[in-house]
Amino acid sequence: MRVLVLNLGSSSIKFQLFNMDKHMVLAKGLVEQIGEPEGKISISTSTKASQSETLKITDHAHGLLKMQEKLQVMGVLKSLEHIDGVGHRVVQGGIYSSSPL
């Protein structure tokens, strides 16, 4: 079972892809400076392979697409159909933010 965990910030995407059956991280990475003239994507795998690329990343959807492409090129992921679940970190504002803004 493969689970992708995402943490999307205002201009970044942090992620880890887990193999839950083997209790291991298959890959982890960062897409940063989204929406800036020059962004960056960096990925490392459990086999110690790593890739980094500087390019314009227009928005979060584009960043997720580039993440998917890199994971496929690195041989970590064949397609999105091979992901069994996705988790996303959500920050709750507690008493300071009790409803959507």
Side-chain angles (χ1 to χ4, degrees):
M1 175 188 228
R2 292 174 186 230
V3 176
L4 177 65
V5 178
L6 300 168
N7 178 356
L8 279 66
S10 60
S11 63
S12 67
I13 302 168
K14 296 175 189 159
F15 64 91
Q16 289 192 357
L17 179 63
F18 293 92
N19 180 324
M20 301 304 289
D21 298 327
K22 296 182 180 180
H23 303 283
M24 67 184 288
V25 176
L26 298 172
K28 62 182 176 179
L30 173 64
V31 181
E32 55 188 329
Q33 296 171 305
I34 296 171
E36 298 291 324
E38 193 171 86
K40 184 176 180 181
I41 180 167
S42 304
I43 298 177
S44 60
T45 70
S46 60
T47 62
K48 308 296 183 214
S50 64
Q51 282 195 8
S52 184
E53 182 180 0
T54 301
L55 71 158
K56 181 170 178 63
I57 302 167
T58 55
D59 55 26
H60 284 76
H62 184 222
L64 290 168
L65 178 64
K66 297 308 285 183
M67 176 198 73
Q68 173 193 346
E69 290 172 0
K70 288 278 187 205
L71 290 171
Q72 288 174 314
V73 167
M74 295 175 81
V76 178
L77 187 65
K78 291 181 182 176
S79 72
L80 291 180
E81 287 83 33
H82 290 100
I83 295 176
D84 300 296
V86 177
H88 186 276
R89 178 177 177 259
V90 177
V91 177
Q92 204 280 341
I95 63 172
Y96 303 105
S97 181
S98 60
S99 63
L101 300 174

